[in-house]
């Protein structure tokens, strides 16, 4: 077109930019941006939306914002494009702030606006913000919009309120595949395996909606979190044979994790060998975790070797193998792995847990004493420990992989970050209030046992969202049935 001497305009550029977005062609997109500036179309909202989308797809969110700020007369589509750019690139706070600015400047949010900001709230499990947006969308008359409701189903499921997600799911006028997937995956991540599989059967039989690859990720995840070994095998075969869905890395990871948890480590390794694509770090990490659970040192060493090739700077992999050696009492090998970490300048991720109380997030590290109410927190833990021991609690120091005395191990476990967060939640909220604690690492075995005792003693539901899944503790039981 340019060779024929024709100048592109505000109809041409959006289509060309859309092609750049589809290909993530950043350099070509920058060249076209230069051409946009030379032809003075940069202030056009359609061209601007196209440029924002290119930069967002290529991870250049600051460039996208620069384009947005240079357009004087913005419309709703442009605001939505910039909000989506923040959301897609892991800037949830900026997305929510921009949404507020949009409303403050008199623009009426659309269905696309609400779906984006609700999804953003789900990604960070920012329940108070999500509930605020929920109320705002209802006040704006969007309660009958199934797309908004489906986004809310996903948000509430990811934020720990799976019962609310179910109520909204039941209210949907038309349940599309994305709606079924959101609810099935929600049940799966919370460990409600029976409910997830029952809903899957209902989707196939009553609604006659054919599942896709995302549906089976949810189903296999539910089997994994519920310890349903045979069911997981059946659904994996069903996906391939009846629905002709080619397994993705996610499906393989779920199956290998399930096999590993169940002690079928040789079968898990064979499945890796049979994969139709190259296994990624998630696959080998699932096998390594299974080796830790069942103390298989030899296969664990092999898994770590593969992980080091893929992620040479991930300290967590070295820590996991060191823990496998420690479990087997092979302290010299454990020390060698930790020395290797030191030599390579790698540091273990620090465990951190956080809880939101009255709109403020409170974060805790292991052994933390920096909180203003630290004395009260430790006093509460001391009180709880006495009541727990009376109820039959016996500390398990196995999660402490250091060659030290048991008393020292016990002191290390009792001040884990999730316990500090729970103690703070107990002294900061009225009796009966549900607590939601998020942790950046996996909950250890002793804390899992302790929280079961605590939930019964204080008569509260305590929800822990760790790096793997949700745990719902209530009346001395956990939704995972001690399988995670």
């Amino acid at each position: 077109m340019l060779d024929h001497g024709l100048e592109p305009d505000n109809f041409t550029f959006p289509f060309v930019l859309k092609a750049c977005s589809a290909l993530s062609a950043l350099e070509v997109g920058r060249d076209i941006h230069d051409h946009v500036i030379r032809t003075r179309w940069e202030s056009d909202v359609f061209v601007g939306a196209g440029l924002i989308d290119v930069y967002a797809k290529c991870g250049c969110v600051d460039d996208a914002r620069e384009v947005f700020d240079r357009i004087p007369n913005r419309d709703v589509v442009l605001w939505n494009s910039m909000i989506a750019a923040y959301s897609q690139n892991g800037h949830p706070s900026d997305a929510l702030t921009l949404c507020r600015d949009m409303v403050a400047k008199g623009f009426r949010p659309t269905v696309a606006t609400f779906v984006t900001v609700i999804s953003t709230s789900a990604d960070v499990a920012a329940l108070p913000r999500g509930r605020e947006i929920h109320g705002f969308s209802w006040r704006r008359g969007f309660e009958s919009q199934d797309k908004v409701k489906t986004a809310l189903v996903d948000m509430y499921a990811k934020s720990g309120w799976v019962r609310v997600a179910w109520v909204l799911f039941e209210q949907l006028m038309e349940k599309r595949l994305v709606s079924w997937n959101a609810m099935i995956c929600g049940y799966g991540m919370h460990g409600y395996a029976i409910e997830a599989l029952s809903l899957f059967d209902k989707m196939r039989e009553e609604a006659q909606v054919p599942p896709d690859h995302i549906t089976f990720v949810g189903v296999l995840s539910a089997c994994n979190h519920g310890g349903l070994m045979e069911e997981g095998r059946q659904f994996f075969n069903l996906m391939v044979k009846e629905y002709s869905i080619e397994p993705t890395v996610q499906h393989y990871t779920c199956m290998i994790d399930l096999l590993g948890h169940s002690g079928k480590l040789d079968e898990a390794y064979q499945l890796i060998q049979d994969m139709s694509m190259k296994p990624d770090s998630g696959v080998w990490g699932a096998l390594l975790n299974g080796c830790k659970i069942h103390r298989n040192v030899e296969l664990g060493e092999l898994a770590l070797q593969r992980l080091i090739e893929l992620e040479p700077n991930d300290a967590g992999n070295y820590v996991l193998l060191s823990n496998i050696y420690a479990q087997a009492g092979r302290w010299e090998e454990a020390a060698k792995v930790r020395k290797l970490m030191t030599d390579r300048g790698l540091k273990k991720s620090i465990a951190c847990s956080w809880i939101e109380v009255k709109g403020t997030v409170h974060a805790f590290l292991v052994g933390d004493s920096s909180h203003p109410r630290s004395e009260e927190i430790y006093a509460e833990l001391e009180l709880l420990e006495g009541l727990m021991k009376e109820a039959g609690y016996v500390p398990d120091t196995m999660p402490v992989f250091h060659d030290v005395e048991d008393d020292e191990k016990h002191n290390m476990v009792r001040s884990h970050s999730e316990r500090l967060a729970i103690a703070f939640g107990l002294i900061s909220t009225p009796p009966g209030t549900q607590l939601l604690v998020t942790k950046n690492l996996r909950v250890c075995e002793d804390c899992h046992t302790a929280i079961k005792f605590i939930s019964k003693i204080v008569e509260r539901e305590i929800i822990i969202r760790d790096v793997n899944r949700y745990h719902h503790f209530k009346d001395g039981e956990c939704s995972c049935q001690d399988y995670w």
Side-chain angles (χ1 to χ4, degrees):
M1 179 178 175
L2 294 174
D3 288 344
H4 281 78
L6 298 172
E7 283 294 329
D9 58 15
N10 60 335
F11 290 95
T12 317
F13 284 123
F15 288 106
V16 180
L17 291 167
K18 190 179 288 262
C20 291
S21 296
L23 297 169
S24 296
L26 178 60
E27 293 309 314
V28 179
R30 290 194 189 281
D31 290 341
I32 293 169
H33 189 178
D34 290 339
H35 205 97
V36 166
I37 294 171
R38 289 197 302 272
T39 53
R40 299 182 180 180
W41 284 110
E42 194 177 21
S43 61
D44 183 86
V45 290
F46 297 106
V47 177
L51 286 167
I52 289 170
D53 190 48
V54 171
Y55 286 128
K57 291 290 194 305
C58 297
C60 303
V61 70
D62 290 336
D63 292 310
R65 183 58 193 254
E66 195 173 320
V67 172
F68 177 80
D69 288 338
R70 286 181 178 174
I71 300 174
N73 299 314
R74 303 167 190 145
D75 63 1
V76 174
V77 173
L78 198 71
W79 283 93
N80 286 346
S81 297
M82 192 61 230
I83 291 169
Y86 277 134
S87 179
Q88 292 163 9
N89 285 278
H91 297 269
S93 297
D94 291 325
L96 294 165
T97 299
L98 194 63
C99 181
R100 289 194 185 97
D101 292 345
M102 171 184 171
V103 174
K105 291 185 183 297
F107 290 91
R108 178 179 171 82
T110 64
V111 169
T113 313
F114 283 117
V115 168
T116 301
V117 292
I118 290 168
S119 298
T120 297
S121 299
D123 289 341
V124 293
L127 183 58
R129 286 180 175 178
R131 292 178 69 185
E132 176 188 335
I133 296 163
H134 182 179
F136 182 63
S137 67
W138 256 230
R139 290 193 299 274
R140 289 291 179 128
F142 286 87
E143 70 275 7
S144 62
Q145 293 287 341
D146 280 353
K147 287 184 179 179
V148 175
K149 272 188 182 172
T150 297
L152 287 167
V153 168
D154 186 53
M155 183 204 74
Y156 279 113
K158 288 179 177 176
S159 302
W161 286 41
V162 70
R163 297 182 189 91
V164 177
W166 172 252
V167 170
L168 289 166
F169 176 79
E170 285 285 82
Q171 292 175 358
L172 288 170
M173 296 174 64
E174 180 187 357
K175 294 180 175 69
R176 298 175 298 127
L177 178 59
V178 65
S179 313
W180 290 97
N181 284 350
M183 198 63 235
I184 290 170
C185 291
Y187 274 140
M189 72 171 68
H190 285 270
Y192 296 131
I194 302 302
E195 290 83 350
L197 301 186
S198 175
L199 195 60
F200 175 71
D201 289 338
K202 187 176 181 180
M203 181 186 90
R204 295 170 63 210
E205 294 169 10
E206 297 180 21
Q208 295 185 341
V209 177
D212 64 359
H213 68 285
I214 295 173
T215 317
F216 279 102
V217 168
V219 168
L220 293 174
S221 178
C223 293
N224 185 18
H225 289 157
L228 304 177
M229 180 69 255
E230 291 306 319
E231 290 85 346
R233 278 200 187 105
Q234 290 169 12
F235 284 117
F236 190 84
N237 291 331
L238 179 76
M239 175 183 72
V240 175
K241 294 177 180 177
E242 184 170 331
Y243 291 100
S244 301
I245 296 173
E246 186 72 23
T248 66
V249 171
Q250 286 179 294
H251 298 121
Y252 280 115
T253 302
C254 287
M255 279 305 300
I256 289 156
D257 203 24
L258 178 54
L259 290 165
H261 269 87
S262 303
K264 310 283 187 183
L265 293 171
D266 290 337
E267 188 178 340
Y269 181 62
Q270 185 58 52
L271 183 59
I272 294 175
Q273 301 296 102
D274 296 338
M275 283 177 61
S276 56
M277 73 283 293
K278 186 176 180 180
D280 66 359
S281 58
V283 169
W284 289 112
L287 181 64
L288 184 59
N289 189 53
C291 292
K292 173 184 173 293
I293 294 169
H294 297 284
R295 306 183 184 185
N296 188 319
V297 177
E298 290 72 23
L299 196 55
E301 289 173 330
L302 187 149
L304 179 67
Q305 185 179 346
R306 298 291 183 271
L307 280 166
I308 290 174
E309 292 170 5
L310 294 167
E311 298 176 334
N313 298 319
D314 188 339
N317 299 326
Y318 296 85
V319 172
L320 207 51
L321 181 62
S322 174
N323 293 346
I324 293 173
Y325 284 135
Q327 281 179 321
R330 294 166 61 171
W331 297 107
E332 287 187 14
E333 286 95 331
K336 285 179 182 177
V337 173
R338 292 185 179 270
K339 183 178 184 303
L340 182 61
M341 287 175 61
T342 304
D343 293 343
R344 295 188 176 184
L346 304 177
K347 293 183 179 180
K348 177 184 176 181
S349 297
I350 298 174
C352 180
S353 297
W354 55 97
I355 183 171
E356 186 164 349
V357 176
K358 297 177 182 177
T360 302
V361 176
H362 300 261
F364 299 88
L365 304 177
V366 60
D368 205 336
S369 59
S370 62
H371 195 277
R373 301 183 67 183
S374 186
E375 288 188 15
E376 295 175 74
I377 290 169
Y378 279 97
E380 180 71 10
L381 283 176
E382 194 74 31
L383 174 65
L384 286 171
E385 185 150 352
L387 295 171
M388 286 157 56
K389 285 181 178 178
E390 288 178 12
Y393 165 70
V394 178
D396 176 12
T397 56
M398 180 61 73
V400 180
F401 298 109
H402 297 282
D403 193 10
V404 296
E405 296 298 322
D406 283 346
D407 285 347
E408 189 176 345
K409 287 184 177 182
H410 182 208
N411 288 331
M412 294 168 77
V413 170
R414 72 197 299 187
S415 60
H416 276 186
S417 60
E418 58 267 50
R419 295 201 199 186
L420 298 176
I422 289 170
F424 173 73
L426 292 174
I427 64 175
S428 305
T429 59
T433 304
Q434 181 190 84
L435 301 182
L436 172 61
V437 174
T438 306
K439 185 175 181 179
N440 66 331
L441 301 176
R442 183 179 182 271
V443 175
C444 80
E445 288 84 349
D446 183 66
C447 285
H448 192 270
T449 300
I451 299 167
K452 287 197 293 183
F453 277 95
I454 293 170
S455 71
K456 189 169 186 177
I457 290 167
V458 301
E459 298 181 345
R460 297 208 201 190
E461 182 176 7
I462 302 171
I463 303 172
I464 305 291
R465 183 188 187 183
D466 72 4
V467 71
N468 288 339
R469 60 175 296 163
Y470 276 95
H471 297 266
H472 291 253
F473 297 91
K474 190 174 183 180
D475 298 326
E477 300 291 336
C478 179
S479 59
C480 76
Q481 301 296 311
D482 297 337
Y483 184 95
W484 86 101

